[in-house]
């Protein structure tokens, strides 16, 4: 396969967010357009200059993207809605990046907007009608509670050590004005009831709410032509995506994460030790430990100890989820993957304030989605 | 939830509960739960898939206790079992002393008026 992003420089030039929050009366159009206008403003470019737009969502149904974008005024933009479960936003970003890399577009926008309203129906996993003994018994938190039990049995990690993932990420959420959960939590608070399943307490599970996120993606030529500020641009050096393979007995999300991250790091020509900031799919606390190991940030079974040593904190070896991650910033589905890119851009620009990881130069964004799919992007300073 | 929710996932044979899977005639892979679409292991067409029953006996790999559910009475246990045919099967568990490695087998119990599959410890002296 061609390595388009090595041959052609593609940049994120603008970011925008609407705060992630509980389901409210705010129309999705307001959530989305707030993020879009902020991103256009941050990039310093007019809406009419944008050639293509990809709108990631999974909950709000048909034609959500095109309906929303009409309110930005006259434009001949080519619009498509992108659905890829939890990786919808990441996949919209990937489409925008490849439009610019291939030369199809000079400027593209990736948008994520969603509300937890189930407008899109029951989805593939239900409509495929493959029944199992786990139907009605195993929902996502049950699945991750079982993975937590298994991880504790295999590695000797304690429930306190695993809960420390949530303590860290709630701490960063408290410093992020766009986070759904903005309250620092002690270990005691994270461990206290309600217990959802096994070792998982409520504060170790992501809140699924609503929000908006947007990124402007442009070529170097377009930036020069339209007078955009190249000093604040962040280059996208890899975009990888994979479908789950048949690997019975193994955790599919871990296998997918390992392979997709390897693809992305190879395309970017770097090793895992060089990545400064990581935003990953920590919908449940155990996931941060599993994926840190799968990405090669540490050895297998070592992540809980590394976390306790401070390796995964801002200022440590690799800052993981300085946005607060899915656990604290939240997981409105469509916006989540694009919100991760916004955080990496902020970190690499050195504009993350209290949450700033020192000398952040390389960032990696990772999402998995039901199906399962995995999408990984690498961003680097110019 | 209607009884028809889980059609054909298990069969009772000589007092033993067997699981129904899909066997691929092209590559020999046995998959559970059964499906009519194609082989996940090799991609063979659905015409090469056939029904295959196998023992529900196996060892407990991991389990958890669920404390929150919108429909079912809590708490209840859910297990992941490695069957003798090497399938990883998840289902309801009823075991007061669950530890990894314990031998389990399927049993059909009446739960809320419906016949349901439950993993239980293998009875001493059982076949
Ligand atoms: Zn096959």
């Amino acid at each position: 396969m061609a390595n388009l992003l090595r041959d052609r420089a593609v940049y994120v030039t603008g970011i925008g967010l609407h705060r992630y929050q509980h389901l409210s009366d705010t129309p999705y159009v307001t959530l989305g357009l707030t993020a879009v206008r902020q991103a256009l403003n941050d990039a310093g470019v007019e809406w009419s200059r944008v050639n293509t737009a990809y709108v990631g969502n999974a909950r709000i149904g048909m034609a959500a993207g095109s309906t929303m974008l009409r309110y930005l005024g006259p434009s001949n933009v080519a619009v498509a809605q992108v659905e890829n479960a939890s990786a919808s936003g990441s996949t919209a970003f990937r489409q925008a990046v490849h439009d610019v890399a291939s030369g199809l577009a000079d400027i593209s926008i990736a948008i994520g907007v969603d509300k937890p309203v189930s407008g899109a129906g029951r989805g593939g996993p239900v409509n495929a009608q493959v029944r199992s003994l786990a139907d009605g018994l195993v929902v996502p938190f049950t699945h991750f509670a079982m993975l937590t039990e298994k991880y504790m049995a295999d590695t000797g990690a304690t429930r306190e050590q695993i809960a420390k993932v949530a303590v860290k990420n709630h701490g960063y959420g408290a410093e992020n004005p766009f986070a759904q959960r903005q309250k620092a939590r002690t270990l005691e608070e994270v461990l206290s009831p309600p217990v959802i399943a096994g070792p998982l307490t409520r504060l170790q599970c992501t809140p699924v709410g609503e929000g908006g996120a947007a990124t402007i993606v442009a070529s170097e030529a377009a930036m020069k032509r339209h007078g955009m500020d190249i000093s604040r641009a962040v280059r996208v050096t890899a975009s990888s995506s994979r479908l789950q393979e048949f690997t019975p007995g193994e955790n599919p999300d871990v296998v997918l994460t390992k392979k997709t991250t390897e693809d992305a790091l190879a395309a970017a020509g770097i090793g895992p030790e060089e990545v400064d900031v990581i935003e990953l799919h920590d919908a449940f606390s155990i996931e941060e430990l599993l994926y840190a190991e799968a990405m090669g940030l540490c050895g297998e079974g070592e992540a809980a100890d590394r976390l306790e040593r401070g390796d995964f904190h801002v200022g440590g070896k690799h800052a993981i989820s300085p946005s607060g991650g899915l656990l604290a910033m939240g997981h409105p589905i469509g916006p989540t993957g694009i919100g991760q890119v916004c955080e990496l851009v902020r970190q690499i620009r050195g504009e993350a304030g209290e949450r700033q990881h020192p000398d952040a130069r390389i960032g990696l964004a990772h999402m998995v989605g039901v199906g399962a799919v995995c999408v990984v992007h690498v961003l680097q300073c110019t | 939830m209607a009884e028809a929710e889980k059609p054909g996932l298990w069969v009772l044979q000589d007092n033993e509960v067997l699981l129904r899977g899909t066997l691929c005639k092209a590559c020999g892979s046995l998959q559970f739960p059964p499906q009519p679409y194609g082989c996940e292991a090799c991609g063979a067409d659905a015409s090469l898939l056939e029904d295959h029953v196998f023992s529900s006996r196996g060892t407990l790999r991991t389990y958890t206790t669920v404390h929150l559910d919108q429909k079912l009475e809590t708490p209840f246990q859910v297990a992941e079992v490695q069957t003798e045919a090497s399938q990883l099967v998840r289902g309801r568990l009823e075991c007061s002393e669950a530890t990894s490695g314990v031998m389990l087998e399927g049993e059909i119990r009446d739960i809320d008026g419906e016949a349901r599959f439950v993993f239980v410890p293998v009875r001493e002296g059982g076949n």
Side-chain angles (χ1 to χ4, degrees):
Chain A
M1 281 192 291
N3 190 343
L4 282 180
L5 296 174
R6 182 191 53 206
D7 302 336
R8 213 176 139 149
V10 173
Y11 298 91
V12 179
T13 68
I15 58 173
L17 285 161
H18 184 290
R19 184 187 170 179
Y20 299 175
Q21 58 195 23
H22 284 294
L23 178 62
S24 74
D25 293 335
T26 308
Y28 89 84
V29 177
T30 305
L31 300 173
L33 292 186
T34 301
V36 171
R37 290 194 172 105
Q38 229 180 70
L40 289 167
N41 194 42
D42 184 42
V45 70
E46 308 262 318
W47 168 239
S48 59
R49 304 285 188 197
V50 178
N51 308 121
T52 62
Y54 293 94
V55 186
N57 55 60
R59 314 293 292 276
I60 52 178
M62 184 174 75
S66 47
T67 302
M68 171 176 83
L69 293 174
R70 296 204 325 255
Y71 299 103
L72 288 169
S75 157
N76 55 8
V77 67
V79 183
Q81 185 151 313
V82 177
E83 191 283 311
N84 214 1
S86 289
S88 296
S90 311
T91 306
F93 181 71
R94 176 173 160 82
Q95 295 304 118
V97 164
H98 282 107
D99 272 13
V100 174
S102 66
L104 281 172
D106 292 328
I107 303 176
S108 184
I109 184 168
I111 305 161
V113 61
D114 236 330
K115 289 175 82 78
V117 292
S118 301
R122 301 180 302 168
V126 173
N127 287 326
Q129 297 183 326
V130 176
R131 312 298 190 192
S132 90
L133 292 172
D135 292 344
L137 292 173
V138 178
V139 296
F141 66 67
T142 332
H143 168 70
F144 286 103
M146 289 170 90
L147 294 185
T148 308
E149 307 264 18
K150 183 96 175 53
Y151 187 85
M152 286 164 58
D154 289 349
T155 68
T158 64
R159 63 179 63 204
E160 286 77 16
Q161 282 184 301
I162 292 164
K164 284 179 183 174
V165 170
V167 175
K168 168 173 72 72
N169 296 356
H170 281 273
Y172 297 141
E175 292 159 358
N176 181 355
F178 299 102
Q180 179 163 340
R181 288 170 162 168
Q182 295 186 17
K183 196 169 171 189
R185 300 286 190 169
T186 64
L187 182 60
E188 289 67 33
E189 285 175 301
V190 168
L191 285 170
S192 65
V195 176
I196 307 297
L200 283 182
T201 52
R202 184 179 67 89
L203 292 177
Q204 294 181 73
C205 304
T206 183
V208 175
E210 62 182 30
T215 51
I216 311 287
V217 178
S219 65
E220 192 164 354
M223 292 186 68
K224 285 186 181 143
R225 190 165 347 114
H226 299 296
M228 290 188 258
D229 180 4
I230 199 146
S231 72
R232 289 175 72 248
V234 172
R235 187 168 168 182
V236 185
T237 54
S239 171
S240 297
S241 181
R242 272 177 180 257
L243 172 67
Q244 173 177 344
E245 289 173 60
F246 186 66
T247 52
E250 292 185 83
N251 176 346
D253 291 334
V254 164
V255 177
L256 255 179
T257 294
K258 187 170 188 297
K259 292 188 172 178
T260 315
T261 305
E262 278 171 6
D263 292 346
L265 292 177
I270 55 171
E273 67 288 345
E274 294 177 73
V275 181
D276 302 304
V277 184
I278 296 110
E279 288 282 324
L280 53 74
H281 183 282
D282 60 333
F284 301 92
S285 48
I286 187 65
E287 288 185 272
E288 179 169 312
L289 305 178
L290 292 172
Y291 301 147
E293 292 172 11
M295 287 175 181
L297 303 179
C298 65
E300 251 179 65
E302 290 177 10
D305 290 336
R306 295 297 194 98
L307 172 78
E308 271 192 318
R309 264 178 24 193
D311 279 9
F312 302 150
H313 284 67
V314 165
K317 244 177 116 186
H318 317 268
I320 301 185
S321 295
S323 70
L326 277 61
L327 282 174
M329 184 165 175
H331 185 23
I333 313 291
T336 313
I338 295 175
Q340 292 181 325
V341 172
C342 292
E343 177 68 16
L344 295 182
V345 168
R346 219 185 284 284
Q347 290 281 344
I348 293 168
R349 283 174 171 175
E351 297 175 356
E354 298 272 299
R355 297 175 283 116
Q356 180 64 47
H357 184 64
D359 199 26
R361 301 173 62 80
I362 301 180
L364 184 146
H366 158 273
M367 281 297 281
V368 288
V370 169
V373 295
C374 182
V375 183
V376 173
H377 285 98
V378 176
L379 280 79
Q380 298 187 228
C381 66
T382 51
Chain B
M1 283 185 280
E3 187 168 358
E5 185 203 36
K6 290 164 188 168
L9 289 176
W10 47 266
V11 288
L12 260 172
Q13 216 169 74
D14 302 330
N15 262 342
E16 199 191 342
V17 181
L18 301 178
L19 291 169
R20 269 179 77 183
T22 304
L23 184 68
C24 174
K25 285 192 274 188
C27 74
S29 164
L30 172 62
Q31 287 154 38
F32 182 86
Q35 44 82 16
Y37 299 132
C39 177
E40 275 200 71
C42 76
D45 182 81
S47 64
L48 291 168
L49 302 181
E50 61 183 21
D51 259 19
H52 183 87
V53 294
F54 60 99
S55 170
S56 62
R57 278 197 174 205
T59 53
L60 180 63
R61 199 166 111 115
T62 188
Y63 80 101
T64 197
T65 305
V66 178
H67 298 276
L68 179 82
D69 195 274
Q70 294 183 339
K71 289 179 185 155
L72 304 173
E73 198 176 313
T74 56
F76 61 86
Q77 295 172 308
V78 180
E80 184 173 84
V81 175
Q82 178 110 44
T83 70
E84 287 167 351
S86 282
Q87 298 304 297
L88 271 192
V89 177
R90 286 174 168 186
R92 186 187 275 262
L93 171 71
E94 285 184 17
C95 181
S96 54
E97 282 166 39
T99 47
S100 157
V102 68
M103 283 293 292
L104 301 170
E105 64 187 348
E107 191 175 285
I108 305 307
R109 293 199 174 167
D110 188 310
I111 299 175
D112 301 330
E114 286 168 29
R116 291 194 172 274
F117 180 101
V118 179
F119 280 112
V120 297
V122 170
R123 285 152 298 185
E124 290 298 320
N127 53 346

